[in-house]
Amino acid sequence: MDKKRLDECLGGVVESCVNSVGADLNTASPSLLSYVSGISSAVAKNIIAYREENGKFKNRKELLKVKKLGPKAFEQCAGFLRITDGDEILDNTGVHPESYGAAREILKKIKASDEDIRHNRVKNIHKLINIRSAAKELEIGEPTLRDILSELEKPGRDPRDDMPKPILKSDVLTMDDLKEGMVLKGTVRNVIDFGCFVDIGVHQDGLVHISQISNKYIKHPLDAVKLGDIVDVKVLSVNKEKGRISLTMKI
């Protein structure tokens, strides 16, 4: 693949991941911050400089004090940046500052406090709130309201935690326990153009090459597998020196 094209593809994947999971404003590196929507490489460096000079960010509004980060950039990036121990508990959620008012009204309705959010005690809000009437009352869209409710239920959540956990063998814990021909169950953790990586519980995902995914011809791994699938795999080879595990789904 052309190097420029490869860089673009990799950059797009990283940006998608960062904007889905979020980034900790007080620990993220300049390179990671530069993948957040609305933040350029120069602004990312300015964020780090501000952090080094003033200490940890206490709230998202402080971003407006960062050099070259104006209201428009703030509007784009704020919802993707997290502050885990700041002044505002909502700063540790994916709720955008523009929706804080609506979020607070919802918390009043269900009689929940900041401490309830902090300790993950806010549960089943969807059953307590009438989406249609609440959206109308708060003058926000129903999809936005659903997103807010999800964030209040799982502040600071990592979407990857919702994926199925791998079904692992108790006697297979490290690469030393693997043997060629061994059949295992695992979870698809990444799908790429030339195959997919499967978590089999040994701290190193195994690669199933596209040619080993299906007995039928497939143009792309996504034609046969998707992220989170639990699959049966057989060990083809193990290279402990290079940390590589080759697997096949042709069992």
Side-chain angles (χ1 to χ4, degrees):
M1 181 184 287
D2 176 75
K3 185 179 184 301
K4 183 179 179 181
R5 175 60 179 158
L6 177 61
D7 288 342
E8 290 175 351
C9 290
L10 290 174
V13 171
V14 175
E15 182 173 354
S16 176
C17 291
V18 171
N19 290 333
S20 294
V21 178
D24 190 320
L25 184 56
N26 286 319
T27 61
S29 64
S31 58
L32 183 63
L33 288 170
S34 67
Y35 284 106
V36 176
S37 296
I39 297 180
S40 64
S41 296
V43 172
K45 291 178 181 178
N46 290 341
I47 290 175
I48 300 301
Y50 180 91
R51 200 167 70 195
E52 291 176 346
E53 183 178 346
N54 301 280
K56 290 184 176 181
F57 283 87
K58 295 181 176 61
N59 54 68
R60 283 171 169 167
K61 289 182 180 179
E62 273 192 82
L63 281 166
L64 292 170
K65 297 180 181 179
V66 173
K67 187 178 178 182
K68 295 184 179 179
L69 199 159
K72 196 167 185 178
F74 177 81
E75 185 178 336
Q76 288 180 284
C77 72
F80 302 118
L81 297 170
R82 308 282 189 269
I83 299 177
T84 58
D85 54 356
D87 299 333
E88 171 59 71
I89 188 62
L90 294 177
D91 284 347
N92 192 33
T93 70
V95 178
H96 194 280
E98 290 182 344
S99 298
Y100 281 5
R104 288 294 177 191
E105 288 300 318
I106 293 168
L107 291 174
K108 284 182 182 178
K109 287 179 179 294
I110 63 173
K111 297 179 180 179
S113 66
D114 284 5
E115 287 302 305
D116 291 326
I117 300 176
R118 183 172 285 109
H119 297 290
N120 294 311
R121 293 195 293 253
V122 179
K123 305 294 183 183
N124 302 315
I125 311 181
H126 290 81
K127 296 180 180 179
L128 303 175
I129 298 290
N130 183 297
I131 299 293
R132 180 172 295 181
S133 61
K136 187 175 181 180
E137 180 184 342
L138 296 171
E139 297 182 343
I140 58 176
E142 291 184 24
T144 299
L145 177 56
R146 289 192 178 90
D147 287 343
I148 292 174
L149 298 184
S150 296
E151 289 294 329
L152 293 178
E153 288 183 345
K154 295 184 178 182
R157 82 190 191 286
D158 186 331
R160 294 168 292 190
D161 292 337
D162 296 330
M163 294 179 182
K165 304 301 179 186
I167 302 172
L168 309 173
K169 293 184 68 173
S170 59
D171 57 343
V172 178
L173 302 174
T174 69
M175 291 182 69
D176 291 327
D177 299 322
L178 297 176
K179 294 180 178 61
E180 291 184 16
M182 184 179 283
V183 176
L184 305 163
K185 279 191 180 292
T187 302
V188 177
R189 289 304 185 195
N190 195 12
V191 181
I192 50 182
D193 289 342
F194 57 84
C196 65
F197 286 95
V198 178
D199 180 359
I200 53 176
V202 296
H203 307 294
Q204 177 65 47
D205 292 348
L207 172 66
V208 183
H209 188 269
I210 186 172
S211 63
Q212 296 295 327
I213 290 178
S214 174
N215 288 313
K216 299 178 181 179
Y217 171 76
I218 55 175
K219 292 183 178 180
H220 193 280
L222 286 172
D223 294 337
V225 295
K226 65 181 183 299
L227 200 66
D229 279 355
I230 293 181
V231 296
D232 291 310
V233 294
K234 182 167 68 175
V235 179
L236 290 178
S237 64
V238 180
N239 188 325
K240 288 186 285 186
E241 291 183 359
K242 294 184 177 180
R244 293 177 182 172
I245 304 170
S246 294
L247 305 170
T248 179
M249 289 169 59
K250 294 180 177 181
I251 303 174

